Amino acid sequence: MTGTGMLALAAVLLALEVVPGTHRLGVSPVRLAAWGLAWIAAAWAATWPVAAGPGWLGISPGGAALPLAAAAWWLARLPARERRRGVAGLALVAGLGYALLRVLPTSLPGWVSPAWAAGVITGVVASLIPVPAPGSLILATAGMVLGQGGLAAVLAVSLAGGGLPAAAAVPVHFTVAGGEAYDALAAAAVTAGAMTILGGDLPPPGEAGDQGAGRP
């Protein structure tokens, strides 16, 4: 997703202020748009090379760190029982994201973006996990980052050995939270948010009382 596309998305998020069901996100559209713009800037600020050989491996530190920091903040504020469910959901989404990124590049027709397809599927699954808002957004983005980290680890080992996995279902060049991997993150966030507005997440903890609990 280009910077222009994400700016347009931020404008849409601001417009969501008047859309029924937006409260289910657990974050106001204005706050969500501000977070999204900060994420864009962080994701595109720098890319660090990690390994090279037959291919190239890198990471966008800002693009990867912000979702993980938000997940840590959200999990730390949950009650113990919901925290365990959140951690389990995060592991599930991470495993799914890893599997999709491994399989989809060689399983889809050329006109379908594997990154966007992986993001959409991940966002739908994240929105179905019963956790307090804004859990679906957290699980979709942080889970996808962790899944990309798993793929990066596989690639790093392969590049260190002088070759790529025989299945060739992984890219020769890959950047965690950057390039097409960032598209997967954006697609996951957009899909999880849309599904939540339609009726996904549980209400934030203490919705009848403490409105701040469980928010990033």
Side-chain angles (χ1 to χ4, degrees), residues 90-175:
L90 190 59
L92 172 64
V93 174
L96 176 65
Y98 169 81
L100 291 173
L101 291 170
R102 284 293 305 265
V103 172
L104 290 183
T106 59
S107 304
L108 296 174
W111 51 271
V112 178
S113 166
W116 274 89
V120 168
I121 296 170
T122 300
V124 170
V125 171
S127 72
L128 297 177
I129 298 173
V131 292
S136 64
L137 292 172
I138 298 292
L139 296 183
T141 52
M144 179 60 80
V145 168
L146 292 175
Q148 292 177 4
L151 178 57
V154 171
L155 283 171
V157 171
S158 300
L159 290 173
L164 292 170
V170 293
V172 176
H173 303 284
F174 184 74
T175 301

Side-chain angles (χ1 to χ4, degrees), residues 68-83:
L68 296 179
W73 178 258
W74 174 71
L75 288 170
R77 301 188 60 159
L78 290 177
R81 183 176 180 180
E82 292 178 343
R83 185 180 304 120

Side-chain angles (χ1 to χ4, degrees), residues 31-63:
R31 189 176 177 184
L32 189 58
W35 186 89
L37 290 173
W39 191 24
I40 296 169
W44 293 99
T47 298
W48 295 348
V50 175
W56 186 88
L57 177 64
I59 183 172
S60 168

